[in-house]
Amino acid sequence: MKKRPNPKTGKRDRTAMHGKCTRYRVKGIPGVKDRSFDALQDAKTWLAQAQTDARRGEFVDPRDGAISLKDYIATHWWPTQSGDPSTIERIEQRVRRHIVPHLGTQPLNAIGTEVLRHWKKRLEKDLGPTSIRLVWATLSSVLQAAVEDRRLGRNPCRSSTVGPPPATPGRVDTWLPERVLAVREALPDRYRLLLVIGAGLGLRQGEALGLAADDIDFEKGVVHVRRQVKMVRTKLCFALPKGRKVRDVPLPSSVARATRQHMEQFAPVPVTLPWDDPTPAETPVEAKHRRPRTYDLLVTGRERKAINRNYFNSYVWKPALATAGVIAPLDEGSTDGARVWEPSREHGFHALRHFYASEELEAGESIVSLARWLGHSDPGFTLRKYSHFLPRAGARGSAAIDAIFA
């Protein structure tokens, strides 16, 4: 309505905005944005609820949750992420490939259990249960951040009616010694020590690739696991072992002998790589942390450089598996020249780590010692993963019962 009355009628005339605006405005609640309503009762109801939630510290303005998931990730969530560069890279891939394409246009407060059920069904067409659990955990982290930013009232990923596929309790199968020896013989001479390190010390692939001459203490019979070679955005760098935990592993005499023989045939090569992250530093602190470091690596490629694990797996490891009869030979009949091996995740380099664990347990070593040598922070995890390798599990208990009732 116009402020001044019409001189002819003495009444206030309607403006061009009449009927296009809300009439009742609620404001003055600390920490709560003003809001307008068409009906007085709606304004009063919202005022009472907002005051109650504000006093409890639980107020969530629906307007803040109207931002799309894609925009929230790009402007509020992703810029705050930090941590291991390779982990950040994997998170970025999950967001880019499996979250934003399907849910990116949805407003935050529109992502409920029904939306998640449809999204889960779509993921099941392309991903296995383990991968879905990882993608689900990433989305849950995003939505939990939105809850803590007061954009959502609750995290729908934690609903009791919808969730990721349950973890499949897998039983680790291990290679027999004959297979380990057959694969070793099938490997080229310069790479055979990697198999001995994996099966004889239980090192992860990146840790074996990053093992240097100074890490071997032949006199004390100890190997110091201090670093790994990892790949970040297709580039190699040195970094601390997984979990950023260094450790010492006993050095069996056979592994020491194989290491000495390898060093006589292939002298350690000084290799220089950035530390932790190969991307250019943006601050003096990052530059100091990422400065290149040099180590005399025990095993290097033909070009006397650190080994790229993707090249090793495709051009060295899998051909050796095929020669040893572990997997089918590569089909050379492909017209596009692509090297497509049969799926063989269970026969990756990590199989040597399982072999090491099984041999140590069957020899009578304790779970606590094995967990320390493998670099597990929780011996309970080691027990759950490898308990079926414990020697004569249940035999002593059965013997005790037999002694009572004999």
Side-chain angles (χ1 to χ4, degrees), residues 119-374:
W119 177 61
K120 176 184 174 182
K121 186 174 182 179
R122 190 180 295 115
L123 291 181
E124 289 173 345
K125 297 179 180 179
D126 304 317
L127 302 177
T130 301
S131 297
I132 293 177
R133 289 179 65 83
L134 292 173
V135 175
W136 192 281
T138 300
L139 177 62
S140 180
S141 176
V142 173
L143 297 182
Q144 185 59 33
V147 171
E148 296 173 2
D149 289 346
R150 302 284 181 88
R151 293 179 180 273
L152 286 178
R154 64 180 185 87
N155 183 352
C157 284
R158 298 183 178 182
S159 169
S160 60
T161 60
V162 62
T168 54
R171 180 185 177 97
V172 174
D173 294 323
T174 184
W175 285 5
L176 295 175
E178 293 78 12
R179 174 173 288 180
V180 174
L181 296 177
V183 175
R184 184 188 65 175
E185 292 304 313
L187 285 170
D189 290 346
R190 71 180 309 111
Y191 299 114
R192 286 182 180 175
L193 182 62
L194 290 175
L195 181 139
V196 176
I197 291 172
L201 300 176
L203 270 60
R204 302 177 178 93
Q205 185 178 37
E207 295 168 348
L209 297 177
L211 197 63
D214 292 343
D215 299 328
I216 312 295
D217 191 332
F218 292 103
E219 293 184 2
K220 295 183 179 180
V222 172
V223 174
H224 306 293
V225 184
R226 296 165 171 160
R227 78 194 67 80
Q228 64 171 319
V229 172
K230 70 176 183 179
M231 182 179 295
V232 178
R233 303 177 190 90
T234 72
K235 296 183 180 180
L236 300 182
C237 64
F238 291 124
L240 288 173
K242 184 178 179 180
R244 312 189 78 82
K245 298 186 293 291
V246 298
R247 64 187 189 278
D248 292 339
V249 179
L251 176 64
S253 59
S254 59
V255 178
R257 183 168 56 253
T259 303
R260 290 183 186 276
Q261 293 173 352
H262 176 86
M263 294 173 68
E264 292 175 0
Q265 186 177 3
F266 305 98
V269 177
V271 174
T272 302
L273 291 174
W275 183 261
D276 206 36
D277 192 340
T279 57
E282 297 180 356
T283 66
V285 174
E286 290 181 349
K288 181 178 180 181
H289 177 72
R290 300 178 188 176
R291 69 181 186 277
R293 307 184 189 187
T294 302
Y295 299 101
D296 295 332
L297 299 187
L298 289 176
V299 184
T300 56
R302 296 184 181 278
E303 297 179 353
R304 297 172 60 84
K305 297 179 180 179
I307 298 174
N308 182 311
R309 70 169 185 262
N310 291 338
Y311 171 85
F312 176 82
N313 292 338
S314 182
Y315 290 90
V316 179
W317 182 253
K318 289 188 176 181
L321 294 181
T323 301
V326 179
I327 63 175
L330 181 68
D331 183 8
E332 299 292 351
S334 176
T335 57
D336 59 359
R339 296 172 61 87
V340 181
W341 295 90
E342 69 172 76
S344 54
R345 182 179 178 87
E346 69 277 15
H347 298 307
F349 192 89
H350 211 74
L352 302 176
R353 186 169 163 88
H354 297 326
F355 172 81
Y356 171 81
S358 67
E359 291 297 312
E360 293 293 330
L361 289 178
E362 290 179 0
E365 293 291 352
S366 71
I367 285 287
V368 174
S369 297
L370 178 62
R372 185 170 65 251
W373 298 336
L374 291 176

Side-chain angles (χ1 to χ4, degrees), residues 8-22:
K8 296 181 179 179
T9 63
K11 297 180 180 180
R12 295 171 60 191
D13 295 333
R14 296 175 178 177
T15 66
M17 297 299 295
H18 182 83
K20 299 181 180 180
C21 302
T22 51

